[in-house]
Amino acid sequence: MDQSTETEAPDAALLVAFANGDPTAGQVLVARLGPRLFAYAARVLGDRAEAEDVVQEAMMKLWKIAPDWRQGDAKVSTWMYRVTANLCTDRLRRRKTRGAVDIDSIAEPEADLQSAVEQMTEKDRADALQGALDALPDRQRQAVVLRHIEGLSNPEIAGIMDIGVEAVESLTARGKRALKAALIGRKDELGYEHG
Amino acid sequence: MNWGTNMDSNKTEDTALESLFDVARSNQPEPGPDFLARLNADAVAAVPRPVPVKKTREVSIFSRLKTLFAASGLSGAAALGIWIGFVMPDLVAPFSMVTEDTTGITAFMSDADFSVLSE
């Protein structure tokens, strides 16, 4: 497979080429999947170093399964998101309790989120969102990141998280509610003055 | 504003949250070049190498037998042909390239006795 063909080939075809001894196909897959998986893992784990470890491990699993990969079984990217999500979950479980936010324990905020967001700088916004994501329960965080930041469809997320589509909808809805609450709760920290 | 109590408020809150997601999408954490180089090195090192086909004992024996049968068949056919030529020369005469006219050959092999070919 030549270079130009490889950049357009589907992931599964590249994986087959890799299994047949083509290292360039593997490098194209790295360029295609590596940054996406890293961004996802970094969002979910809130830690770049841990995200690198997870993505490296996930890619090694892909290389290992390459000779046995059957085209048509699953999308390579979906499979990789699933592996990465599981590795993230394992790491999060190993961490000590971080005081995750329970949506039921959050009081109804009375501030105006729209006004608060308008007054933030872009960096403040990015940091605020990451902080709020970090405070979400693990499953909600994974679902929200996959749906609203990675832009995957609910059926794809259901496949990655090994749950039903309705469960995905429920997780993202609860996650969004918790995010709103957490962000309004941080209004003072972000320099928002009520009024 | 007491969000969550009416539909307009919810819409506004959704819009605000969506603007945060927009920021997040345009500010994705990017992997460093060293990390990507490490992934590429892993990929190159993990490329499956073609496994050389090992000859099993059975394959080797079968291969030798095949050669033996081929050789013995060829030599057997040759021996049979010579034997037929001697025992039943009339049977092979129509296929012989040798004609009555042996002048061409005798010109080059003057000492040879070709009388047997004329019988």
Side-chain angles (χ1 to χ4, degrees):
Chain A
M1 203 180 282
D2 63 50
Q3 194 94 36
S4 60
T5 313
E6 278 178 338
T7 51
E8 294 164 10
D11 292 346
L14 288 171
L15 195 57
V16 170
F18 174 82
N20 289 330
D22 181 358
T24 315
Q27 290 173 328
V28 174
L29 279 171
V30 165
R32 210 177 269 184
L33 298 173
R36 286 171 66 191
L37 296 172
F38 173 79
Y40 167 67
R43 290 264 181 226
V44 170
L45 295 169
D47 185 304
R48 290 181 62 90
E50 275 199 288
E52 286 186 357
D53 290 346
V54 160
V55 174
Q56 189 167 14
E57 195 176 340
M59 294 302 299
M60 288 307 291
K61 285 179 185 286
L62 182 66
W63 306 143
K64 200 172 173 186
I65 203 173
D68 303 318
W69 187 268
R70 286 182 299 176
Q71 290 204 53
D73 272 6
K75 277 175 74 177
V76 175
S77 59
T78 302
W79 189 85
M80 283 299 283
Y81 268 116
R82 189 185 305 156
V83 170
T84 307
N86 288 339
L87 291 170
C88 286
T89 302
D90 290 346
R91 292 208 169 225
L92 292 168
R93 278 187 191 145
R94 271 185 252 139
R95 284 182 187 171
K96 290 180 180 173
T97 311
R98 300 176 315 167
V101 175
D102 178 3
I103 185 65
D104 298 328
S105 69
I106 298 170
E108 287 262 315
E110 294 185 0
D112 183 344
L113 178 60
Q114 178 71 18
S115 305
V117 167
E118 280 170 3
Q119 290 180 31
M120 295 176 195
T121 65
E122 187 160 293
K123 186 180 181 308
D124 284 340
R125 292 181 190 190
D127 291 347
L129 181 65
Q130 188 59 50
L133 282 170
D134 289 346
L136 288 182
D138 297 341
R139 301 286 281 174
Q140 284 181 24
R141 179 163 64 255
Q142 289 189 343
V144 168
V145 170
L146 288 170
R147 181 75 188 93
H148 295 287
I149 300 180
E150 296 301 315
L152 301 186
S153 67
N154 285 344
E156 275 181 298
I157 299 167
I160 290 164
M161 297 184 72
D162 204 18
I163 53 178
V165 173
E166 285 179 5
V168 173
E169 288 167 356
S170 168
L171 279 174
T172 50
R174 281 157 54 210
K176 281 174 74 176
R177 271 196 293 149
L179 280 179
K180 286 178 195 172
L183 287 165
I184 287 174
R186 293 185 58 179
K187 65 183 187 300
D188 293 333
E189 185 187 331
L190 293 164
Y192 166 66
E193 288 176 11
H194 192 271
Chain B
M1 185 184 291
N2 188 7
W3 69 274
T5 54
N6 63 56
M7 201 173 282
D8 287 344
S9 166
N10 258 339
K11 267 189 178 176
T12 312
E13 306 299 347
D14 283 342
T15 308
L17 190 57
E18 193 50 48
S19 76
L20 287 180
F21 287 141
D22 284 342
V23 171
R25 280 192 288 269
S26 55
N27 291 281
Q28 287 279 55
E30 287 181 14
D34 290 349
F35 172 61
L36 287 178
R38 210 159 69 227
L39 291 185
N40 278 326
D42 283 349
V44 172
V47 172
R49 307 275 174 240
V51 183
V53 181
K54 281 185 181 174
K55 278 187 181 175
T56 61
R57 191 178 169 81
E58 293 75 18
V59 170
S60 179
I61 290 170
F62 180 72
S63 174
R64 285 180 188 178
L65 283 175
K66 221 165 53 173
T67 311
L68 189 66
F69 283 136
S72 62
L74 197 63
S75 51
L80 183 67
I82 291 168
W83 182 76
I84 290 171
F86 275 102
V87 176
M88 297 175 280
D90 294 342
L91 198 65
V92 293
F95 307 104
S96 171
M97 298 292 286
V98 180
T99 60
E100 291 294 323
D101 182 10
T102 57
T103 316
I105 299 173
T106 53
F108 293 102
M109 303 174 70
S110 52
D111 297 336
D113 180 10
F114 290 99
S115 56
V116 68
L117 295 175
S118 306
E119 285 175 6

